[in-house]
Amino acid sequence: MRLVTWNVNSIGARLDRVLAWCEEHQPDLIGIQELKCTDDAFPHDAFSHLGYISYTHGTGRWNGVALLAKSSVRDVTKNLNAQPLYEDTTEPRAIACTFKDVRVWNLYVPNGREPGHEHFAYKLEWLKSLKETIHAELNEYKQLVVMGDFNIAPTDDDVWDIKDFENSTHVTVEERNALAKVLQLGLVDVMPRSLKGKPFTFWDYRALMFQKAMGMRIDLVLATDTFKSRIQDIWIDREERKLKGGSDHAPVVVDFE
DNA sequence: ATGGCCGACGAAGTCGGA
């Protein structure tokens, strides 16, 4: 079976690429982030032609997450338990489902903008609510995966050069501690295999960052030990990031069972 | 040392991304 997480940076702008990728790589379940479209505007038909049922959670211009499955799934959940608001709205950043015997959470963690920003405090609150949600889920599910764009580089090795990250988000002690609290519930950050170079999942569009190998590992797959033991391979499709008209994030592919 | 791109919205320029 094949499970994938991918921040597509607008499903509207990326539709042809995402369809082509799915056709070539045949994920059984793919979680995508940053839809930038409403549930109504989501291209359900285009995916159903490829055999996917799409479960979407999007409200428009920003954010948005979806799960696309080759077979029907159960217990679709949107939002975290007691998810904090941002500017009085519950943003569409979390969706979960039960796929066969595996519980899968697909996340788009808030960016944080800069340390000290209101959005940074929101990011930490959001991660706290993620911890509480996953804590509750672990009572029910042993085969659990929490994946998506975490907007956190877990260690200094997960960025091209930590010296370039002074006063930056994604690498602060606060963010890493908030992630560590989720892991302490009984999950492991499963390290993906890179097809070339360091196992980065994101390269900024600007300044030839991809060509200079200046990336970050911020798209993560967290798994319980019982699910991790079923993983045969986990790898980053950097080839997709190379292509013209691609997302700035690469798909992370989990082959299991 | 700095900035360098891209997408949505909407029709120019601003915001968000990380």
Side-chain angles (χ1 to χ4, degrees), chain A residues 122-148:
Chain A
Y122 166 59
K123 180 178 192 174
L124 297 179
E125 283 300 306
W126 201 94
L127 289 163
K128 198 168 153 193
S129 123
L130 173 65
K131 185 199 71 176
E132 297 303 328
T133 304
I134 300 305
H135 183 60
E137 290 269 299
L138 283 166
N139 292 326
E140 200 172 339
Y141 306 101
K142 300 301 169 213
Q143 308 275 342
L144 183 85
V145 178
V146 184
M147 65 181 196

Side-chain angles (χ1 to χ4, degrees), chain A residues 141-208:
Chain A
Y141 306 101
K142 300 301 169 213
Q143 308 275 342
L144 183 85
V145 178
V146 184
M147 65 181 196
D149 179 356
F150 279 73
N151 274 319
I152 300 172
T155 75
D156 290 355
D157 287 334
D158 295 311
V159 297
W160 71 87
D161 186 350
I162 193 64
K163 291 195 288 294
D164 287 350
F165 283 78
E166 211 170 318
N167 300 319
S168 296
T169 56
H170 296 61
V171 298
T172 66
V173 171
E174 292 96 324
E175 290 161 282
R176 287 177 175 172
N177 282 348
L179 173 63
K181 286 196 168 117
V182 177
L183 292 168
Q184 281 159 16
L185 297 170
L187 297 164
V188 281
D189 171 15
V190 188
M191 182 63 69
R193 178 170 66 84
S194 170
L195 300 183
K196 182 187 171 190
K198 292 183 180 176
F200 296 144
T201 64
F202 164 86
W203 297 261
D204 198 298
Y205 284 125
R206 286 171 289 191
L208 300 173

Side-chain angles (χ1 to χ4, degrees), chain A residues 72-98:
Chain A
S72 69
V73 302
R74 305 187 307 282
D75 303 322
V76 173
T77 305
K78 296 177 182 182
N79 303 325
L80 305 174
N81 298 341
Q83 182 175 310
L85 306 180
Y86 189 69
E87 294 178 343
D88 301 322
T89 63
T90 300
E91 297 181 320
R93 294 179 174 275
I95 187 169
C97 75
T98 304

Side-chain angles (χ1 to χ4, degrees), chain A residues 60-124:
Chain A
R61 186 167 178 183
W62 289 299
N63 317 312
V65 287
L67 285 159
L68 315 178
K70 278 277 193 182
S71 54
S72 69
V73 302
R74 305 187 307 282
D75 303 322
V76 173
T77 305
K78 296 177 182 182
N79 303 325
L80 305 174
N81 298 341
Q83 182 175 310
L85 306 180
Y86 189 69
E87 294 178 343
D88 301 322
T89 63
T90 300
E91 297 181 320
R93 294 179 174 275
I95 187 169
C97 75
T98 304
F99 174 76
K100 301 187 188 293
D101 60 341
V102 187
R103 183 67 171 166
V104 177
W105 278 84
N106 176 39
L107 309 175
Y108 180 41
V109 177
N111 170 292
R113 311 243 169 103
E114 54 192 50
H117 195 284
E118 185 186 359
H119 206 258
F120 188 81
Y122 166 59
K123 180 178 192 174
L124 297 179

Side-chain angles (χ1 to χ4, degrees), chain A residues 40-59:
Chain A
D40 287 343
F42 189 87
H44 293 273
D45 290 347
F47 283 101
S48 81
H49 288 312
L50 284 186
Y52 289 93
I53 307 167
S54 43
Y55 305 87
T56 67
H57 185 27
T59 53

